[in-house]
Amino acid sequence: MKRIIAIIFAAALTLPAFGWSRIGHATVAKIAEDHLTPRAKAAIREYLDGSTLMEWASYADDFKDKKITPFDKGFDPIDSDRIDSYPHTFEVNMQFEPFHGWNDNGRYVKNCVETITRFGEDLKNAKTMDEKQRWLEIVLITHFVGDMHCPDHIRYNPEEMTIGYFDVIYNGAPLRYHTFWDNECIVNKMPFSITDIAAIVDICDDKEIAEIVKGEPYDWAYSSAKASWPIHSVKPGDKITGKFILKYLPLTKSQLRNAGYRLAHYLNQIFDPAYARRGATPKALTCVKAQ
């Protein structure tokens, strides 16, 4: 297993990043790790061969070799390549209700939330899984829970399906709006270390966290889509000003923290049966901190 990880890591260094930046994904992972139960943390460390979630939080962006990450969704669209690539985005209607699955009457719908839920079911049998597939699914859940909270990773059908794939003016030069939400929204006003950013945004008490993590991934997708809709009013050629950044800095922080809390909750439910029995209650979350 160590050799597999070493090969993957070497290849990852040469490839570009997408989604939240490395800083964003590592921040989500750091917050999640701070809220894992000891039992869940120990299981994840074992299954990641001693690594942390932070170390592999950007794996899905760094390395997309189909020989490493092939899968079959049971749906074969015209563009057959799509059945071999994990989606990093999801789609909602204009009431912010997420589409479930991948097949909309023959139209392929990219849906990272579906991947998260399917992997969550797989990992309930983690002990008997192939170690490579188990490693992969933990790492991809970590990434895709982050991605589903990135404000420009959501398609609003039918009004705004671009996910920011157009240029705006930022610092006097063209910049893809999607890229702004991947990285600049974080580093512009929070040019600190990952642990510093995590400390800045991880400010909720147990009752607030319990409210944030209620439900399951599709419920979180709904709340993420509803919160992120205002940033989709930006059009090609618009200027991104300091005023705009300050206006949406609270959204950036809340999306990062919500992703971290929800990732921790999801992994705790999978890898700590006692936590799963307690449910998303302030008492359960207090137990995590106390341990």
Side-chain angles (χ1 to χ4, degrees), residues 72-144:
D72 181 358
K73 298 189 295 291
F75 172 56
D76 189 9
I78 294 172
D79 180 0
S80 60
D81 277 351
R82 295 188 209 168
I83 68 167
D84 288 332
S85 60
Y86 290 104
H88 295 230
T89 61
F90 68 98
E91 185 175 307
V92 299
N93 63 23
M94 295 316 299
Q95 288 73 51
F96 311 120
E97 298 164 342
F99 183 85
H100 288 238
W102 287 292
N103 188 346
D104 180 19
N105 296 314
R107 181 181 69 93
Y108 171 64
V109 178
K110 291 186 176 181
N111 189 354
C112 65
V113 188
E114 188 73 9
T115 306
I116 293 165
T117 58
R118 293 197 180 201
F119 285 175
E121 288 299 311
D122 290 348
L123 288 167
K124 290 177 182 179
N125 301 303
K127 289 183 179 180
T128 60
M129 288 179 67
D130 172 79
E131 66 173 17
K132 180 179 173 183
Q133 185 65 24
R134 182 177 59 204
W135 181 93
L136 178 67
E137 293 192 7
I138 294 170
V139 165
L140 293 187
I141 283 177
T142 300
H143 187 88
F144 293 147

Side-chain angles (χ1 to χ4, degrees), residues 28 89 109 111 185 206 263:
V28 169
T89 61
V109 178
N111 189 354
C185 64
D206 292 333
L263 175 59

Side-chain angles (χ1 to χ4, degrees), residues 24 43 101 117 120 129 160 163 193 203 225:
T117 58
M129 288 179 67
E160 215 296 287
I163 58 169
S193 71
I203 59 172

Side-chain angles (χ1 to χ4, degrees), residues 223-245:
S223 67
S224 184
K226 186 175 182 180
S228 301
W229 172 239
I231 70 100
H232 289 262
S233 63
V234 171
K235 304 301 179 187
D238 284 357
K239 290 184 179 180
I240 301 299
T241 64
K243 184 177 180 180
F244 177 94
I245 295 169

